[in-house]
Amino acid sequence: MRDEGGESDDSAIWAPNNTQEWYAARDAAAALRDVLTAAGMQWDFPYLRADLNAFGHGFVELGRVSPETAERMAELLRLAISCPHDFRSEAEGRKR
């Protein structure tokens, strides 16, 4: 019989929300949330969340969206792809 009240040496204890993968997924979800809010789409992604799979790999779940939301997102991505200006380089330059 196991000792009651004693410390367990159960090596299966794992806190998924204390891993780098969890924080990376959470930060990515927050960044996406901020951009969606700036685009006026904050209510179109009610299932947006960060999570980990069974192997501890982080992911961002967008969830189900309406066809109109998918079309709007596709149009925003088309515009971003066709934009000749490299915003990432500009943003990195401001951080320095």
Coordinates of all heavy atoms in Angstrom, one line a residue:
M1 N 0.8 -1.2 0.0 CA 0.0 0.0 0.0 C 0.9 1.2 0.0 O 1.9 1.3 0.6 CB -0.9 0.0 1.2 CG -2.0 1.0 1.2 SD -3.3 0.2 2.0 CE -4.0 1.4 3.0
R2 N 0.4 2.3 -0.7 CA 1.2 3.5 -0.8 C 1.1 4.3 0.5 O 0.1 4.3 1.2 CB 0.7 4.3 -1.9 CG 0.9 3.6 -3.3 CD 0.4 4.5 -4.4 NE 1.3 5.6 -4.5 CZ 1.4 6.3 -5.6 NH1 0.8 6.0 -6.7 NH2 2.2 7.4 -5.6
D3 N 2.2 5.0 0.7 CA 2.2 5.9 1.9 C 1.2 7.0 1.7 O 1.2 7.6 0.7 CB 3.6 6.5 2.1 CG 4.6 5.5 2.5 OD1 4.3 4.5 3.0 OD2 5.8 5.8 2.2
E4 N 0.4 7.2 2.7 CA -0.6 8.3 2.6 C -0.1 9.5 3.1 O 0.5 9.5 4.2 CB -1.9 7.9 3.3 CG -2.5 6.6 2.7 CD -3.9 6.6 2.6 OE1 -4.6 7.6 2.9 OE2 -4.5 5.5 2.3
G5 N -0.2 10.6 2.4 CA 0.3 11.9 2.9 C 1.7 12.1 2.6 O 2.2 13.2 2.8
G6 N 2.5 11.1 2.2 CA 3.9 11.3 1.8 C 4.0 11.9 0.4 O 3.1 12.0 -0.3
E7 N 5.2 12.3 0.1 CA 5.5 12.8 -1.2 C 5.5 11.7 -2.2 O 6.0 10.6 -2.0 CB 6.9 13.5 -1.2 CG 6.9 14.8 -0.5 CD 8.1 15.6 -0.9 OE1 8.6 15.5 -2.0 OE2 8.6 16.3 0.0
S8 N 4.9 12.0 -3.3 CA 4.8 11.0 -4.4 C 6.0 11.2 -5.4 O 6.4 12.4 -5.6 CB 3.5 11.2 -5.2 OG 3.5 10.5 -6.4
D9 N 6.5 10.2 -5.9 CA 7.6 10.3 -6.8 C 7.1 9.9 -8.2 O 7.7 9.3 -9.0 CB 8.8 9.5 -6.5 CG 8.5 8.0 -6.2 OD1 7.3 7.7 -5.9 OD2 9.4 7.2 -6.3
D10 N 5.8 10.4 -8.5 CA 5.2 10.2 -9.8 C 5.8 11.1 -10.8 O 5.7 12.3 -10.8 CB 3.7 10.5 -9.7 CG 2.9 10.2 -10.9 OD1 3.6 9.7 -11.9 OD2 1.7 10.5 -11.0
S11 N 6.5 10.5 -11.7 CA 7.2 11.3 -12.7 C 6.3 11.8 -13.9 O 6.8 12.5 -14.8 CB 8.4 10.6 -13.3 OG 7.9 9.4 -13.9
A12 N 5.1 11.4 -13.8 CA 4.1 11.8 -14.8 C 3.5 13.2 -14.6 O 2.8 13.7 -15.4 CB 3.0 10.8 -14.9
I13 N 3.9 13.9 -13.5 CA 3.4 15.2 -13.3 C 4.1 16.2 -14.3 O 5.3 16.2 -14.4 CB 3.7 15.7 -11.8 CG1 3.0 14.8 -10.9 CG2 3.4 17.1 -11.6 CD1 3.4 15.0 -9.4
W14 N 3.2 16.9 -15.0 CA 3.7 17.9 -16.0 C 2.8 19.1 -16.0 O 1.6 18.9 -16.0 CB 3.7 17.1 -17.3 CG 4.1 18.0 -18.5 CD1 5.3 18.7 -18.6 CD2 3.4 18.2 -19.7 NE1 5.3 19.3 -19.8 CE2 4.2 19.0 -20.5 CE3 2.1 17.8 -20.1 CZ2 3.7 19.5 -21.7 CZ3 1.7 18.2 -21.3 CH2 2.5 19.0 -22.1
A15 N 3.3 20.2 -16.0 CA 2.5 21.5 -16.0 C 2.7 22.1 -17.4 O 3.7 22.7 -17.7 CB 3.0 22.4 -14.9
P16 N 1.8 21.8 -18.3 CA 2.0 22.2 -19.7 C 2.0 23.7 -19.9 O 2.6 24.2 -20.8 CB 0.8 21.6 -20.4 CG -0.2 21.4 -19.4 CD 0.5 21.1 -18.1
N17 N 1.4 24.5 -19.0 CA 1.4 25.9 -19.1 C 2.7 26.6 -18.6 O 2.7 27.8 -18.5 CB 0.2 26.5 -18.5 CG 0.1 26.2 -17.0 OD1 0.8 25.4 -16.5 ND2 -0.8 26.9 -16.3
N18 N 3.7 25.8 -18.3 CA 5.0 26.3 -17.9 C 6.1 26.0 -18.9 O 7.3 26.0 -18.5 CB 5.4 25.8 -16.5 CG 4.6 26.5 -15.4 OD1 4.1 27.6 -15.6 ND2 4.4 25.8 -14.3
T19 N 5.7 25.7 -20.1 CA 6.7 25.3 -21.1 C 6.9 26.5 -22.1 O 6.0 27.3 -22.3 CB 6.3 24.1 -21.9 OG1 5.1 24.3 -22.6 CG2 6.1 22.9 -20.9
Q20 N 8.1 26.5 -22.7 CA 8.3 27.5 -23.8 C 7.3 27.3 -24.9 O 6.9 28.3 -25.5 CB 9.7 27.3 -24.3 CG 10.8 27.8 -23.4 CD 12.2 27.7 -24.0 OE1 12.5 26.7 -24.6 NE2 12.9 28.8 -23.9
E21 N 6.9 26.1 -25.2 CA 6.0 25.9 -26.3 C 4.6 26.6 -26.0 O 4.0 27.1 -26.9 CB 5.8 24.4 -26.6 CG 7.0 23.7 -27.2 CD 8.1 23.4 -26.2 OE1 7.8 23.6 -24.9 OE2 9.1 22.9 -26.6
W22 N 4.2 26.5 -24.7 CA 2.9 27.1 -24.3 C 3.0 28.6 -24.4 O 2.1 29.2 -25.0 CB 2.6 26.7 -22.9 CG 1.5 27.6 -22.3 CD1 1.7 28.5 -21.3 CD2 0.2 27.7 -22.7 NE1 0.6 29.2 -21.1 CE2 -0.4 28.7 -21.9 CE3 -0.6 27.1 -23.7 CZ2 -1.7 29.1 -22.0 CZ3 -1.9 27.5 -23.8 CH2 -2.5 28.5 -23.0
Y23 N 4.1 29.2 -23.9 CA 4.3 30.6 -24.0 C 4.4 31.1 -25.5 O 3.8 32.2 -25.8 CB 5.5 31.1 -23.2 CG 5.2 31.0 -21.7 CD1 5.8 30.1 -20.9 CD2 4.3 31.9 -21.1 CE1 5.6 30.0 -19.6 CE2 4.0 31.8 -19.8 CZ 4.7 30.9 -19.0 OH 4.4 30.8 -17.6
A24 N 5.0 30.3 -26.3 CA 5.1 30.7 -27.7 C 3.7 30.7 -28.4 O 3.4 31.6 -29.1 CB 6.1 29.8 -28.5
A25 N 2.9 29.7 -28.1 CA 1.6 29.6 -28.6 C 0.7 30.7 -28.1 O 0.0 31.4 -28.8 CB 0.9 28.2 -28.3
R26 N 0.8 31.0 -26.8 CA 0.1 32.1 -26.2 C 0.4 33.4 -26.8 O -0.4 34.2 -27.1 CB 0.3 32.1 -24.7 CG -0.6 33.1 -24.0 CD -0.2 33.3 -22.6 NE 1.1 34.0 -22.6 CZ 1.7 34.4 -21.5 NH1 1.2 34.2 -20.3 NH2 2.9 34.9 -21.6
D27 N 1.7 33.7 -27.0 CA 2.2 35.0 -27.5 C 1.7 35.1 -29.0 O 1.3 36.2 -29.4 CB 3.7 35.1 -27.5 CG 4.2 35.2 -26.0 OD1 3.4 35.5 -25.1 OD2 5.4 35.0 -25.8
A28 N 1.8 34.0 -29.7 CA 1.3 34.1 -31.1 C -0.2 34.3 -31.2 O -0.7 35.1 -32.0 CB 1.6 32.8 -31.9
A29 N -1.0 33.7 -30.3 CA -2.4 33.9 -30.3 C -2.7 35.4 -29.9 O -3.6 36.0 -30.5 CB -3.1 33.0 -29.3
A30 N -2.0 35.9 -29.0 CA -2.2 37.3 -28.6 C -1.8 38.3 -29.7 O -2.5 39.3 -29.9 CB -1.3 37.6 -27.3
A31 N -0.7 38.0 -30.4 CA -0.4 38.8 -31.6 C -1.4 38.8 -32.6 O -1.8 39.8 -33.2 CB 1.0 38.4 -32.1
L32 N -1.9 37.6 -32.9 CA -3.0 37.5 -33.9 C -4.3 38.2 -33.4 O -4.9 38.9 -34.2 CB -3.3 36.0 -34.2 CG -4.4 35.7 -35.2 CD1 -4.0 36.4 -36.6 CD2 -4.5 34.2 -35.4
R33 N -4.6 38.0 -32.2 CA -5.8 38.7 -31.6 C -5.6 40.3 -31.8 O -6.6 40.9 -32.2 CB -5.9 38.4 -30.1 CG -7.0 39.1 -29.4 CD -6.8 39.3 -27.9 NE -5.6 40.0 -27.7 CZ -4.8 39.8 -26.6 NH1 -5.1 38.8 -25.8 NH2 -3.8 40.6 -26.5
D34 N -4.4 40.8 -31.5 CA -4.2 42.2 -31.7 C -4.4 42.7 -33.1 O -5.0 43.7 -33.4 CB -2.8 42.6 -31.2 CG -2.6 42.4 -29.7 OD1 -3.7 42.3 -29.0 OD2 -1.5 42.4 -29.2
V35 N -3.9 41.9 -34.1 CA -4.1 42.3 -35.5 C -5.5 42.2 -35.9 O -6.1 43.0 -36.6 CB -3.2 41.4 -36.4 CG1 -3.5 41.6 -37.8 CG2 -1.7 41.7 -36.1
L36 N -6.2 41.1 -35.5 CA -7.6 41.0 -35.8 C -8.5 42.1 -35.2 O -9.4 42.6 -35.8 CB -8.2 39.6 -35.3 CG -7.6 38.4 -36.0 CD1 -8.0 37.1 -35.3 CD2 -8.1 38.4 -37.4
T37 N -8.1 42.5 -34.0 CA -8.8 43.7 -33.4 C -8.5 44.9 -34.2 O -9.5 45.7 -34.4 CB -8.3 43.9 -31.9 OG1 -8.6 42.7 -31.2 CG2 -9.0 45.0 -31.3
A38 N -7.3 45.2 -34.6 CA -7.0 46.3 -35.4 C -7.8 46.3 -36.8 O -8.1 47.4 -37.3 CB -5.5 46.4 -35.7
A39 N -8.0 45.1 -37.3 CA -8.8 45.0 -38.5 C -10.3 45.0 -38.3 O -11.1 44.8 -39.2 CB -8.4 43.7 -39.2
G40 N -10.7 45.1 -37.0 CA -12.2 45.2 -36.7 C -12.8 43.8 -36.8 O -14.0 43.7 -36.9
M41 N -12.0 42.7 -36.6 CA -12.5 41.4 -36.7 C -12.4 40.7 -35.3 O -12.5 39.4 -35.3 CB -11.7 40.6 -37.7 CG -11.8 41.2 -39.1 SD -10.7 40.3 -40.3 CE -11.7 38.7 -40.4
Q42 N -12.4 41.4 -34.2 CA -12.3 40.8 -32.9 C -13.4 39.9 -32.6 O -13.3 38.9 -31.8 CB -12.1 41.8 -31.8 CG -13.2 42.8 -31.6 CD -13.1 44.0 -32.5 OE1 -12.5 44.0 -33.5 NE2 -13.8 45.1 -32.0
W43 N -14.6 40.1 -33.1 CA -15.7 39.2 -32.8 C -15.9 38.1 -33.7 O -16.8 37.2 -33.5 CB -17.0 40.0 -32.8 CG -16.9 41.2 -31.8 CD1 -16.9 42.5 -32.1 CD2 -16.8 41.1 -30.4 NE1 -16.7 43.3 -31.0 CE2 -16.7 42.4 -29.9 CE3 -16.8 40.1 -29.5 CZ2 -16.6 42.7 -28.5 CZ3 -16.7 40.4 -28.1 CH2 -16.6 41.7 -27.7
D44 N -15.1 38.0 -34.8 CA -15.2 37.0 -35.8 C -14.5 35.7 -35.5 O -14.7 34.7 -36.2 CB -14.8 37.5 -37.2 CG -15.6 38.7 -37.7 OD1 -16.8 38.7 -37.3 OD2 -15.0 39.6 -38.3
F45 N -13.7 35.7 -34.5 CA -12.9 34.5 -34.1 C -13.1 34.2 -32.7 O -12.2 34.3 -31.8 CB -11.4 34.8 -34.4 CG -11.1 34.8 -35.9 CD1 -11.2 36.0 -36.5 CD2 -10.7 33.7 -36.6 CE1 -10.9 36.1 -37.9 CE2 -10.4 33.8 -37.9 CZ -10.5 35.0 -38.6
P46 N -14.4 33.7 -32.3 CA -14.7 33.5 -30.9 C -13.9 32.3 -30.3 O -13.8 32.2 -29.1 CB -16.2 33.2 -30.9 CG -16.5 32.7 -32.3 CD -15.5 33.5 -33.2
Y47 N -13.4 31.4 -31.2 CA -12.7 30.2 -30.7 C -11.2 30.3 -30.7 O -10.5 29.4 -30.5 CB -13.1 29.0 -31.5 CG -14.6 28.8 -31.4 CD1 -15.4 29.1 -32.5 CD2 -15.2 28.2 -30.2 CE1 -16.8 28.9 -32.4 CE2 -16.6 28.0 -30.2 CZ -17.4 28.4 -31.2 OH -18.7 28.2 -31.2
L48 N -10.6 31.5 -31.0 CA -9.2 31.7 -31.0 C -8.6 31.4 -29.7 O -9.0 31.9 -28.6 CB -8.9 33.2 -31.4 CG -7.4 33.6 -31.4 CD1 -6.7 32.8 -32.5 CD2 -7.3 35.1 -31.6
R49 N -7.6 30.5 -29.7 CA -7.0 30.1 -28.4 C -5.6 29.4 -28.7 O -5.4 28.9 -29.7 CB -7.8 29.2 -27.6 CG -8.0 27.8 -28.2 CD -9.0 27.0 -27.4 NE -9.1 25.7 -27.9 CZ -8.6 24.6 -27.4 NH1 -7.9 24.7 -26.3 NH2 -8.7 23.4 -27.9
A50 N -4.8 29.5 -27.7 CA -3.5 28.8 -27.7 C -3.7 27.5 -26.9 O -4.4 27.4 -26.0 CB -2.4 29.6 -27.0
D51 N -2.9 26.4 -27.4 CA -3.0 25.1 -26.8 C -1.8 24.3 -27.0 O -0.9 24.8 -27.8 CB -4.3 24.4 -27.3 CG -4.8 23.4 -26.3 OD1 -4.1 23.1 -25.3 OD2 -5.9 22.9 -26.5
L52 N -1.7 23.2 -26.4 CA -0.6 22.2 -26.7 C -1.2 20.9 -27.1 O -2.3 20.5 -26.6 CB 0.2 22.0 -25.4 CG 1.0 23.1 -24.8 CD1 1.6 22.7 -23.5 CD2 2.0 23.6 -25.8
N53 N -0.6 20.2 -28.0 CA -1.1 18.9 -28.3 C -0.5 17.8 -27.4 O 0.2 18.2 -26.4 CB -0.7 18.5 -29.8 CG 0.7 18.3 -30.1 OD1 1.6 18.2 -29.2 ND2 1.1 18.3 -31.3
A54 N -0.8 16.6 -27.6 CA -0.4 15.5 -26.6 C 1.1 15.4 -26.5 O 1.6 14.8 -25.6 CB -1.0 14.2 -27.0
F55 N 1.8 15.9 -27.5 CA 3.3 15.8 -27.5 C 4.0 17.0 -27.0 O 5.2 17.2 -27.0 CB 3.8 15.5 -29.0 CG 3.2 14.2 -29.5 CD1 2.2 14.2 -30.4 CD2 3.7 13.0 -29.1 CE1 1.6 13.1 -30.9 CE2 3.2 11.8 -29.6 CZ 2.2 11.8 -30.5
G56 N 3.2 18.0 -26.5 CA 3.7 19.2 -26.0 C 4.0 20.3 -27.0 O 4.7 21.3 -26.7
H57 N 3.6 20.1 -28.2 CA 3.9 21.1 -29.3 C 2.8 22.1 -29.2 O 1.6 21.8 -29.2 CB 3.9 20.5 -30.7 CG 4.9 19.4 -30.8 ND1 4.7 18.2 -31.4 CD2 6.2 19.4 -30.4 CE1 5.8 17.5 -31.4 NE2 6.8 18.2 -30.8
G58 N 3.2 23.4 -29.2 CA 2.2 24.5 -29.1 C 1.5 24.7 -30.5 O 2.1 24.5 -31.5
F59 N 0.3 25.1 -30.4 CA -0.5 25.5 -31.7 C -1.5 26.6 -31.3 O -1.8 26.8 -30.2 CB -1.1 24.3 -32.4 CG -2.2 23.7 -31.6 CD1 -3.5 24.1 -31.7 CD2 -1.9 22.6 -30.7 CE1 -4.5 23.5 -31.0 CE2 -2.9 22.0 -30.0 CZ -4.2 22.4 -30.1
V60 N -1.9 27.3 -32.3 CA -3.0 28.3 -32.2 C -4.2 27.8 -33.0 O -4.1 27.5 -34.1 CB -2.5 29.7 -32.7 CG1 -3.6 30.7 -32.7 CG2 -1.3 30.2 -31.9
E61 N -5.3 27.7 -32.3 CA -6.5 27.3 -32.9 C -7.4 28.5 -33.3 O -7.7 29.3 -32.4 CB -7.3 26.4 -32.0 CG -8.5 25.8 -32.6 CD -9.2 24.8 -31.7 OE1 -8.6 24.3 -30.7 OE2 -10.3 24.4 -32.0
L62 N -7.7 28.6 -34.5 CA -8.6 29.7 -35.0 C -10.1 29.4 -34.7 O -10.9 30.3 -34.6 CB -8.3 30.0 -36.4 CG -6.9 30.5 -36.8 CD1 -6.8 30.7 -38.3 CD2 -6.5 31.7 -36.0
G63 N -10.4 28.1 -34.8 CA -11.8 27.7 -34.6 C -12.6 27.9 -35.9 O -12.1 28.1 -37.0
R64 N -13.9 27.7 -35.7 CA -14.8 27.8 -36.9 C -15.1 29.3 -37.1 O -15.3 30.1 -36.1 CB -16.1 27.1 -36.6 CG -15.9 25.6 -36.4 CD -17.1 24.9 -35.9 NE -17.3 25.4 -34.6 CZ -18.1 24.8 -33.7 NH1 -18.8 23.7 -34.1 NH2 -18.3 25.2 -32.5
V65 N -15.2 29.7 -38.4 CA -15.6 31.0 -38.7 C -16.6 31.0 -39.8 O -16.8 30.0 -40.5 CB -14.4 31.9 -39.2 CG1 -13.3 32.0 -38.1 CG2 -13.7 31.3 -40.5
S66 N -17.3 32.1 -40.0 CA -18.4 32.1 -41.0 C -17.7 32.3 -42.4 O -16.5 32.7 -42.5 CB -19.3 33.4 -40.8 OG -18.5 34.6 -41.0
P67 N -18.4 31.9 -43.5 CA -17.9 32.1 -44.8 C -17.5 33.6 -45.1 O -16.4 33.8 -45.7 CB -19.0 31.7 -45.7 CG -19.8 30.7 -44.9 CD -19.7 31.3 -43.5
E68 N -18.2 34.5 -44.5 CA -17.9 35.9 -44.7 C -16.6 36.3 -44.1 O -15.8 37.0 -44.6 CB -19.0 36.8 -44.2 CG -20.3 36.7 -44.9 CD -21.2 35.5 -44.5 OE1 -20.9 34.9 -43.4 OE2 -22.1 35.2 -45.2
T69 N -16.4 35.7 -42.9 CA -15.1 36.0 -42.2 C -13.9 35.4 -42.9 O -12.9 36.0 -43.1 CB -15.2 35.4 -40.8 OG1 -16.2 36.1 -40.0 CG2 -13.9 35.6 -40.0
A70 N -14.1 34.2 -43.5 CA -13.0 33.5 -44.2 C -12.7 34.3 -45.5 O -11.5 34.5 -45.8 CB -13.4 32.1 -44.6
E71 N -13.7 34.9 -46.2 CA -13.5 35.7 -47.3 C -12.8 37.0 -47.0 O -11.9 37.4 -47.7 CB -14.9 36.1 -48.0 CG -15.5 34.9 -48.8 CD -14.7 34.5 -50.0 OE1 -14.0 35.4 -50.6 OE2 -14.7 33.4 -50.4
R72 N -13.2 37.6 -45.9 CA -12.5 38.8 -45.4 C -11.0 38.6 -45.1 O -10.1 39.3 -45.4 CB -13.2 39.5 -44.2 CG -12.6 40.8 -43.8 CD -13.6 41.7 -43.2 NE -12.9 42.9 -42.9 CZ -12.9 43.6 -41.7 NH1 -13.7 43.1 -40.8 NH2 -12.3 44.7 -41.5
M73 N -10.8 37.5 -44.4 CA -9.4 37.1 -44.0 C -8.6 36.8 -45.3 O -7.4 37.2 -45.4 CB -9.4 35.9 -43.1 CG -8.0 35.4 -42.7 SD -7.1 36.6 -41.7 CE -7.7 36.1 -40.1
A74 N -9.2 36.1 -46.3 CA -8.5 35.9 -47.5 C -8.2 37.2 -48.2 O -7.1 37.3 -48.8 CB -9.4 35.0 -48.4
E75 N -9.1 38.1 -48.2 CA -8.8 39.4 -48.9 C -7.7 40.2 -48.2 O -6.8 40.8 -48.8 CB -10.1 40.2 -48.9 CG -9.9 41.6 -49.6 CD -9.5 41.4 -51.1 OE1 -9.8 40.4 -51.7 OE2 -8.8 42.4 -51.6
L76 N -7.7 40.1 -46.8 CA -6.6 40.8 -46.1 C -5.3 40.2 -46.4 O -4.3 40.9 -46.5 CB -6.9 40.7 -44.6 CG -8.0 41.7 -44.1 CD1 -8.3 41.4 -42.6 CD2 -7.7 43.1 -44.3
L77 N -5.2 38.8 -46.5 CA -4.0 38.2 -46.8 C -3.5 38.5 -48.2 O -2.3 38.7 -48.5 CB -4.1 36.6 -46.6 CG -4.3 36.2 -45.2 CD1 -4.6 34.7 -45.1 CD2 -3.0 36.5 -44.4
R78 N -4.5 38.5 -49.2 CA -4.1 38.9 -50.5 C -3.5 40.3 -50.6 O -2.5 40.5 -51.3 CB -5.4 38.9 -51.5 CG -5.6 37.5 -52.1 CD -6.6 37.6 -53.2 NE -8.0 37.7 -53.0 CZ -8.8 36.8 -52.3 NH1 -8.2 35.8 -51.7 NH2 -10.1 37.0 -52.2
L79 N -4.1 41.2 -49.8 CA -3.6 42.6 -49.8 C -2.2 42.6 -49.2 O -1.3 43.3 -49.6 CB -4.5 43.5 -49.0 CG -5.8 43.9 -49.7 CD1 -6.8 44.6 -48.7 CD2 -5.6 44.8 -50.9
A80 N -2.0 41.9 -48.1 CA -0.7 41.8 -47.5 C 0.4 41.2 -48.4 O 1.5 41.7 -48.4 CB -0.8 41.0 -46.2
I81 N 0.0 40.2 -49.1 CA 1.0 39.6 -50.0 C 1.4 40.5 -51.2 O 2.5 40.6 -51.6 CB 0.4 38.2 -50.6 CG1 0.4 37.2 -49.4 CG2 1.2 37.7 -51.7 CD1 -0.4 36.0 -49.8
S82 N 0.4 41.3 -51.6 CA 0.7 42.2 -52.8 C 1.3 43.5 -52.4 O 1.8 44.2 -53.2 CB -0.6 42.5 -53.5 OG -1.5 43.3 -52.7
C83 N 1.4 43.7 -51.1 CA 2.0 45.0 -50.6 C 3.5 44.9 -50.9 O 4.2 44.0 -50.4 CB 1.7 45.2 -49.1 SG 2.3 46.7 -48.5
P84 N 4.1 45.9 -51.6 CA 5.5 45.9 -51.9 C 6.4 46.3 -50.7 O 7.6 46.0 -50.7 CB 5.6 47.0 -53.0 CG 4.5 47.9 -52.8 CD 3.4 47.1 -52.2
H85 N 5.8 46.9 -49.7 CA 6.6 47.4 -48.6 C 6.9 46.3 -47.6 O 5.9 45.5 -47.3 CB 5.9 48.6 -47.9 CG 6.8 49.4 -47.0 ND1 7.5 48.8 -45.9 CD2 7.2 50.7 -47.1 CE1 8.2 49.8 -45.3 NE2 8.0 50.9 -46.0
D86 N 8.1 46.1 -47.1 CA 8.4 45.1 -46.1 C 8.2 45.6 -44.7 O 9.1 46.2 -44.1 CB 9.8 44.6 -46.3 CG 10.2 43.4 -45.4 OD1 9.3 43.0 -44.7 OD2 11.3 43.0 -45.5
F87 N 7.0 45.4 -44.1 CA 6.7 45.9 -42.8 C 7.5 45.3 -41.7 O 7.8 45.9 -40.7 CB 5.2 45.8 -42.5 CG 4.4 46.7 -43.4 CD1 3.6 46.3 -44.5 CD2 4.3 48.1 -43.1 CE1 2.9 47.2 -45.2 CE2 3.6 49.0 -43.8 CZ 2.9 48.5 -44.9
R88 N 7.8 44.0 -41.9 CA 8.6 43.3 -40.9 C 10.0 44.0 -40.7 O 10.4 44.2 -39.5 CB 8.8 41.9 -41.2 CG 9.6 41.1 -40.2 CD 9.7 39.7 -40.5 NE 8.4 39.1 -40.1 CZ 8.1 37.8 -40.1 NH1 9.0 37.0 -40.5 NH2 7.0 37.4 -39.7
S89 N 10.7 44.3 -41.7 CA 11.9 45.0 -41.6 C 11.8 46.4 -40.9 O 12.6 46.8 -40.1 CB 12.6 45.2 -43.0 OG 12.9 44.0 -43.6
E90 N 10.7 47.1 -41.3 CA 10.5 48.4 -40.7 C 10.2 48.2 -39.2 O 10.7 49.0 -38.3 CB 9.3 49.0 -41.3 CG 9.0 50.4 -40.8 CD 7.8 51.1 -41.5 OE1 7.8 51.1 -42.8 OE2 6.9 51.5 -40.8
A91 N 9.4 47.2 -38.8 CA 9.1 47.0 -37.4 C 10.3 46.6 -36.6 O 10.5 47.1 -35.5 CB 8.0 46.0 -37.2
E92 N 11.2 45.8 -37.2 CA 12.4 45.4 -36.5 C 13.3 46.6 -36.3 O 14.0 46.7 -35.3 CB 13.1 44.3 -37.2 CG 12.3 43.0 -37.1 CD 13.0 41.9 -38.0 OE1 14.0 42.1 -38.7 OE2 12.4 40.7 -38.0
G93 N 13.3 47.5 -37.3 CA 14.2 48.7 -37.2 C 13.7 49.6 -36.1 O 14.6 50.3 -35.5
R94 N 12.4 49.7 -35.8 CA 11.9 50.6 -34.8 C 12.2 50.0 -33.4 O 12.4 50.7 -32.4 CB 10.4 50.7 -34.9 CG 10.0 51.8 -35.9 CD 8.6 52.1 -35.9 NE 8.0 51.2 -37.0 CZ 6.9 50.6 -36.9 NH1 6.1 50.6 -35.9 NH2 6.5 49.9 -37.9
K95 N 12.4 48.7 -33.3 CA 12.7 48.1 -32.0 C 14.1 48.3 -31.5 O 14.4 48.3 -30.4 CB 12.5 46.5 -32.1 CG 11.0 46.1 -32.1 CD 10.9 44.6 -32.2 CE 9.5 44.2 -32.4 NZ 9.4 42.7 -32.5
R96 N 15.0 48.6 -32.5 CA 16.4 48.8 -32.1 C 16.6 50.1 -31.6 O 16.2 51.1 -31.5 CB 17.2 48.5 -33.4 CG 17.2 47.1 -33.7 CD 18.0 46.8 -34.9 NE 17.8 45.4 -35.3 CZ 18.0 44.9 -36.5 NH1 18.5 45.7 -37.4 NH2 17.8 43.7 -36.7

